[in-house]
Amino acid sequence: SVNTVVNSGGRLVGYTTDGDGALRALAAAGLEIKSRRVTIVGTGGAARAVAFALASAGCGPLTLVGVECDQMEELAGDLAAAGREVKAFVAGSKDAEQAIVAADLIVNCSPLGMHPNVNETPVSARLMHEGQGAFDVVYNPMETRFLREAREAGCKVVSGVEMFVGQAAAQFELWTGKDAPLDEMRLVVVEALGD
């Protein structure tokens, strides 16, 4: 899931900044990753980048919840091959629901809840509870139904806007070699999404 190409001495090198953006968002929110149980909903490109970033950051057991079984099994296999403890369950199953309840951090990497389908949610409100973190990679709307219901359940929430800004900051830094102007970047995103 390359989203950034850098000309390095005449050689084009591809990077994905989604994982870095996710780690920056979680760190800015003060959510601890190390040894925490993580359940990721969705198994596409964003889920792959986020899962490997969280694994590299030392998260605890990973659980994948998805609807694309082949894609989910492939991601689970790649994570296991990299030495990660990982389980995979079909969305809506009892095992998937138990994994969501048991998670320290729930991450939505699916498109559920994205504009214009703002009434959709990847996780039933009844499965979330106080003490969990809830992170949505969806940034439009800025507060999805998933995040709203997670906040109401007592979870600490992280908006996809933070990942969007974080991954863009990583891109900026790769291209320029300079620190990204995070506050200005966030302001531009919030103003654009507020329209």
Side-chain angles (χ1 to χ4, degrees):
S1 61
V2 169
N3 66 357
T4 307
V5 177
V6 177
N7 185 335
S8 178
R11 183 171 171 252
L12 299 180
V13 180
Y15 298 87
T16 179
T17 60
D18 286 345
D20 189 21
L23 293 178
R24 288 176 188 230
L26 292 166
L31 283 174
E32 179 63 38
I33 300 303
K34 194 138 184 79
S35 302
R36 298 293 194 248
R37 293 169 302 207
V38 178
T39 297
I40 297 175
V41 180
T43 56
R48 176 172 288 276
V50 170
F52 275 97
L54 292 172
S56 295
C59 74
L62 276 166
T63 301
L64 304 175
V65 174
V67 294
E68 300 285 339
C69 292
D70 291 344
Q71 189 178 54
M72 180 173 60
E73 291 302 327
E74 181 180 349
L75 177 53
D78 291 346
L79 287 162
R84 296 302 306 173
E85 180 181 340
V86 62
K87 295 178 182 174
F89 302 116
V90 175
S93 69
K94 188 166 184 66
D95 287 332
E97 290 186 351
Q98 289 173 342
I100 290 166
V101 171
D104 297 309
L105 174 64
I106 306 163
V107 184
N108 177 36
C109 290
S110 80
L112 291 174
M114 184 184 300
H115 179 78
N117 302 312
V118 297
N119 292 320
E120 293 180 354
T121 183
V123 177
S124 171
R126 68 181 171 77
L127 302 175
M128 297 182 283
H129 56 84
E130 191 170 347
Q132 290 180 308
F135 174 35
D136 201 338
V137 303
V138 171
Y139 58 85
N140 185 12
M142 290 187 283
E143 182 173 74
T144 59
R145 176 180 167 192
F146 167 60
L147 290 183
R148 184 176 59 255
E149 291 178 349
R151 184 185 319 278
E152 291 167 0
C155 300
K156 184 166 188 173
V157 301
V158 183
S159 169
V161 168
E162 294 306 316
M163 178 174 157
F164 186 75
V165 171
Q167 67 84 27
Q171 289 177 311
F172 180 92
E173 291 163 4
L174 283 167
W175 287 323
T176 67
K178 299 177 183 176
D179 289 340
L182 285 173
D183 292 337
E184 293 171 38
M185 294 173 79
R186 185 177 296 105
L187 181 62
V188 168
V189 171
V190 170
E191 285 179 353
L193 292 174
D195 291 343

